Amino acid sequence: MNSANVRSLLVRGMLAGLGAGLLALVVAYLLGEPRVDAAIAYEDAHAAGAPEMELVSRSLQSTAGLATGVLVYGVSLGGFAALAYCFALGRVGRFSPRATAALLSGVALVAVYVVPFLKYPANPPSVGDPETIGKRTTLYFLMMALSVLLAVAAVIVGKKLAPRLGNWYATVTAVLGFAVAIGFAYAFLPAVNEVPEDFSATLLWQFRLAALAIQLTLWTSFGLLFGHLAERLLNPKPATAAPTADRNGLRETAASTP
């Protein structure tokens, strides 16, 4: 792929990421923020002494702060995903540009978010010991890195097995291998459970579902938007010329008209 196409796809990826970020922002505001407010209310009710002064107001956090974070994340995601798309196009199978974008988004959703989420799920404010935040963050990103590397390895193994086993059985074998490797990672990495005993299980479940819905919206909408833009760039529809009248034919018709 030439550099001009790479640049064009990078720009389109960032635009698609921006559009996906806008949709995810709506989901985050409608589903996520009410649960965050409820968790903060729980934290304030169980805090000892007077509540600490906020450096940034909650209203600013839930509007401008949320929008900035989600949109910047969406644009960054779109840029990195577009570069990964340039590498994957034509190497993962004979898929169209749109299908490749959908496949890449689905794999990225599973590897980058779902797999780490199942081991270390998202927690609302007031859940977790502040002294262990560094350890929890390190474990989460370690799980994410392992998931991404194992997903890439599964794709490579599937490609190598395809000539001998066929596409279907090669894919099944690669997916099963990925699942087994992730299972070992789940077993050996330490678990983290710092949810207070009296914290609402309903609120915790709703918060985690909202976090999952945000990521699902982000990756799905990115795959659809970027797939459309990539298809238009890489497989443009041929321009149809307007039919032109045959002057000789018109003269002959006019001459034969009584």
Side-chain angles (χ1 to χ4, degrees):
M1 182 177 294
N2 59 52
S3 59
N5 280 343
V6 172
R7 287 194 300 269
S8 298
L9 286 171
L10 178 61
V11 172
R12 284 162 172 77
M14 296 173 71
L15 290 175
L18 179 61
L22 289 171
L23 295 175
L25 175 61
V26 174
V27 176
Y29 185 79
L30 295 178
L31 297 183
E33 287 304 305
R35 278 74 193 180
V36 173
D37 289 336
I40 291 175
Y42 169 89
E43 185 178 27
D44 292 340
H46 290 75
E52 298 181 359
M53 181 179 296
E54 294 181 338
L55 297 178
V56 180
S57 67
R58 175 64 191 140
S59 60
L60 185 61
Q61 293 176 17
S62 62
T63 52
L66 177 65
T68 301
V70 173
L71 295 180
V72 169
Y73 178 74
V75 173
S76 302
L77 173 152
F80 285 113
L83 294 177
Y85 177 87
C86 294
F87 177 80
L89 189 63
R91 291 185 173 93
V92 296
R94 296 180 180 179
F95 298 104
S96 67
R98 183 178 290 139
T100 303
L103 180 64
L104 176 66
S105 297
V107 172
L109 172 64
V110 172
V112 174
Y113 187 77
V114 174
V115 170
F117 175 86
L118 293 176
K119 177 64 176 178
Y120 302 112
N123 288 325
S126 75
V127 173
D129 185 357
E131 295 182 359
T132 64
I133 188 171
K135 176 185 175 182
R136 287 184 281 123
T137 302
T138 300
L139 288 173
Y140 181 85
F141 280 103
L142 176 60
M143 187 70 245
M144 182 189 297
L146 284 174
S147 177
V148 172
L149 291 175
L150 289 173
V152 173
V155 173
I156 295 174
V157 169
K159 287 283 291 180
K160 290 186 176 181
L161 292 178
R164 286 188 294 169
L165 302 181
N167 290 333
W168 172 255
Y169 288 107
T171 301
V172 171
T173 302
V175 170
L176 288 177
F178 174 78
V180 170
I182 289 297
F184 279 112
Y186 281 2
F188 284 103
L189 287 176
V192 176
N193 185 13
E194 298 179 350
V195 180
E197 293 183 358
D198 59 342
F199 191 85
S200 171
T202 301
L203 176 58
L204 181 63
W205 177 247
Q206 290 176 344
F207 179 85
R208 289 175 175 175
L209 282 181
L212 185 59
I214 293 168
Q215 294 292 328
L216 183 62
T217 301
L218 184 69
W219 283 102
T220 302
S221 54
F222 172 78
L224 295 174
L225 291 172
F226 182 65
H228 173 72
L229 295 175
E231 187 79 24
R232 292 186 61 182
L233 174 68
L234 300 176
N235 288 336
K237 293 183 179 180
T240 56
T244 57
D246 187 345
R247 294 183 179 179
N248 295 329
L250 287 177
R251 290 196 187 100
E252 292 175 0
T253 302
S256 62
T257 302

